[in-house]
Amino acid sequence: MKLEVEGTPQVASGEQPSNFNILKGPRDIRDLALDDLDNLIADAGERSFRAKQLAGWLYGRGVESFDAMLDLPKEFREYLKHHFKIGSGATAHVARSSDGTRKLLVSLGDGEAIESVIIPVREMEMTPAGEKLNQRITLCMSSQAGCAMACEFCATARMGLHRNLGVGEIVSQVFLARKELADDEHLTNYVFMGMGEPLANYQRLVKALTMMTSAWGMGISPRRITVSTVGLVPMMERLLTEVPVRIAVSLHATTDELRDRLAPINKRYPLEVLLETCARLPLKQRERITFEYVMLRDVNDSIDDAKRLVKLLAPLRGKVNLIFFNAFEGAGFEGSSRAAVEDFQAILRKGNLTATIRESRGLDIAAACGQLYAEQAARG
Ligand code: SAH
């Protein structure tokens, strides 16, 4: 297995790198950050303040037609229309769960498809003024079509890596998701926990995150964005120096022997190296790293595993999300029982580790990562 950790497109043999696909037809103008728009404006012979205006339409207001950009000169709009399209991908299918979860299958126009998931969460928060009901709506975003990381229990891994997503393809997921929201709903949080390993598409991810968080862009607070990684160590530290997003690490095992099997990237960056890196990450005050731990029956859910986890994470500012396994056909794993998950949580808490049980969402709509794609592929 070849693991690609830099921004260069990695493709299965016989396929073309992602840039070929992206450049087919007009280019997505949402590939362009403010400095690219500055260059574009200069090339077009327009005045420099137009770059911010254009960014405002593209990322702030999220319009989908150049004709809507009424304060831009008509000839410039025609120039843009001639050279660019706005946004990538189209929602080909929406699966709606009875729990409010909506799973979008986004087709990318070159035969590839990715998934984004809208997950509403209601929770009670204790405030000095009493209990308050919070409605969060999280968008789970993809960073690659498929994935090369080969985690044994993950449905997307079975696809292998098809290609990296372009910047416009990453940010367009937000605009496509917004169209599926009711009038009184708005996205409050963003997690890169969909298809792909975000840090294996590093440069495009960082550019997309910059668009999402800049004042000239979408103006989203970086504190509301979480990048989840299987543990690409060199990129983890770099990421936080470039964009102060939150980071989540998919741990899933407490010994190298087991993690080598569940998440083979562990052979390159074993637990000790990964956790040392986590300990060095430049976190904000009171910020903690989330460690994800998928509970697999008789594989990683023993009392000893829980005790080892407490020891491993003791030197770190971390918290644990215990995740129910989302079963899929041919997975070869079963999820732990609720009782086993609760016992595991109790041990972590006794060890002074914050541990939250993540309830499965969208079970009735094949919510396991990669499942909707697999179903569509099977249907042809
Ligand atoms: N590649 C990144 C982000 C995408 S996966 C990462 O590994 O973190 C997002 C999360 O879903 C990871 O914690 C992953 O381990 C978990 N996951 C994958 N398949 C799952 C399944 N079948 N059931 C439950 N969680 C799963």
Side-chain angles (χ1 to χ4, degrees):
M1 185 188 57
K2 191 171 165 233
L3 296 170
E4 194 75 19
V5 293
E6 246 308 30
T8 48
Q10 189 204 338
V11 289
S13 56
E15 286 176 48
Q16 288 186 318
S18 60
N19 277 345
F20 281 77
N21 297 320
I22 292 163
L23 292 177
K24 234 191 258 165
R27 183 167 185 195
D28 182 3
I29 196 166
R30 286 210 192 112
D31 279 338
L32 306 186
L34 187 62
D35 49 350
D36 304 315
L37 294 176
D38 280 331
N39 294 335
L40 164 78
I41 297 282
D43 286 350
E46 279 295 332
R47 297 176 50 202
S48 58
F49 69 91
R50 299 273 181 226
K52 273 221 167 98
Q53 262 180 325
L54 187 50
W57 287 114
L58 291 172
Y59 304 115
R61 284 180 249 200
V63 302
E64 293 191 328
S65 115
F66 292 112
D67 291 327
M69 303 179 179
L70 289 173
D71 54 1
L72 299 184
K74 180 120 193 344
E75 318 77 72
F76 182 46
R77 279 186 267 146
E78 292 302 321
Y79 171 92
L80 293 172
K81 255 199 252 181
H82 184 71
H83 288 91
F84 296 100
K85 61 173 181 172
I86 303 177
S88 292
T91 305
H93 181 77
V94 183
R96 288 167 205 282
S97 165
S98 53
D99 69 12
T101 303
R102 276 145 275 178
K103 184 153 180 165
L104 282 60
L105 184 75
V106 176
S107 88
L108 299 178
D110 64 347
E112 295 298 342
I114 50 164
E115 298 169 345
S116 320
V117 190
I118 298 166
I119 309 166
V121 185
R122 288 162 154 270
E123 53 181 21
M124 296 303 278
E125 192 193 342
M126 290 302 289
T127 68
E131 279 185 76
K132 192 178 117 205
L133 180 67
N134 269 342
Q135 163 90 329
R136 273 193 298 149
I137 303 187
T138 299
L139 180 65
C140 179
M141 301 171 67
S142 293
S143 53
Q144 300 180 308
C147 186
M149 295 297 125
C151 297
E152 204 184 1
F153 53 86
C154 174
T156 303
R158 307 283 162 105
M159 293 168 63
L161 178 63
H162 289 199
R163 67 173 174 85
N164 281 321
L165 299 191
V167 178
E169 290 174 329
I170 297 175
V171 297
S172 287
Q173 292 173 68
V174 177
F175 297 104
L176 291 173
R178 282 183 186 165
K179 288 191 205 168
E180 302 302 327
L181 298 174
D183 288 344
D184 61 345
E185 290 182 318
H186 63 276
L187 298 174
T188 59
N189 296 76
Y190 304 80
V191 297
F192 283 87
M193 294 186 188
M195 291 169 121
E197 166 52 45
L199 298 188
N201 187 12
Y202 185 79
Q203 276 147 6
R204 296 185 189 89
L205 176 83
V206 167
K207 193 164 171 181
L209 290 173
T210 305
M211 266 174 202
M212 290 172 73
T213 56
S214 295
W216 57 259
M218 296 160 77
I220 297 167
S221 161
R223 322 303 306 141
R224 295 188 169 272
I225 303 176
T226 301
V227 173
S228 176
T229 178
V230 70
L232 295 191
V233 160
M235 305 302 156
M236 286 169 63
E237 276 184 299
R238 240 177 99 186
L239 177 69
L240 294 191
T241 64
E242 299 198 65
V243 214
V245 291
R246 289 178 189 273
I247 204 156
V249 177
S250 294
L251 199 63
H252 309 318
T254 56
T255 64
D256 281 320
E257 190 191 359
L258 180 60
R259 198 164 188 272
D260 279 354
R261 194 188 122 201
L262 294 180
I265 191 71
N266 193 69
K267 292 180 199 155
R268 195 185 292 185
Y269 306 115
L271 280 172
E272 197 183 336
V273 174
L274 174 62
L275 294 174
E276 264 173 16
T277 305
C278 290
R280 276 202 312 270
L281 288 178
L283 302 183
K284 292 252 152 46
Q285 241 189 349
R286 289 168 54 196
E287 185 188 343
R288 285 179 296 176
I289 304 172
T290 301
F291 290 93
E292 292 152 278
Y293 197 97
V294 176
M295 296 291 292
L296 302 167
R297 184 186 299 244
D298 299 333
V299 175
N300 66 357
D301 63 350
S302 73
I303 301 296
D304 283 346
D305 284 305
K307 288 182 177 162
R308 272 194 299 269
L309 191 53
V310 168
K311 275 214 187 102
L312 281 177
L313 299 186
L316 290 166
R317 278 161 57 189
K319 57 181 175 182
V320 178
N321 275 352
L322 298 173
I323 305 171
F324 278 102
F325 174 61
N326 259 319
F328 56 94
E329 219 181 296
F333 290 96
E334 278 177 64
S336 308
S337 66
R338 181 166 290 272
V341 177
E342 284 172 0
D343 289 350
F344 199 94
Q345 180 191 35
I347 293 168
L348 300 187
R349 287 190 165 167
K350 230 184 336 187
N352 281 326
L353 206 52
T354 307
T356 313
I357 298 177
R358 286 278 163 239
E359 301 294 336
S360 292
R361 300 297 306 268
L363 277 179
D364 48 342
I365 56 164
C369 189
Q371 272 187 32
L372 187 62
Y373 175 89
E375 282 186 5
Q376 292 285 121
R379 266 186 239 145

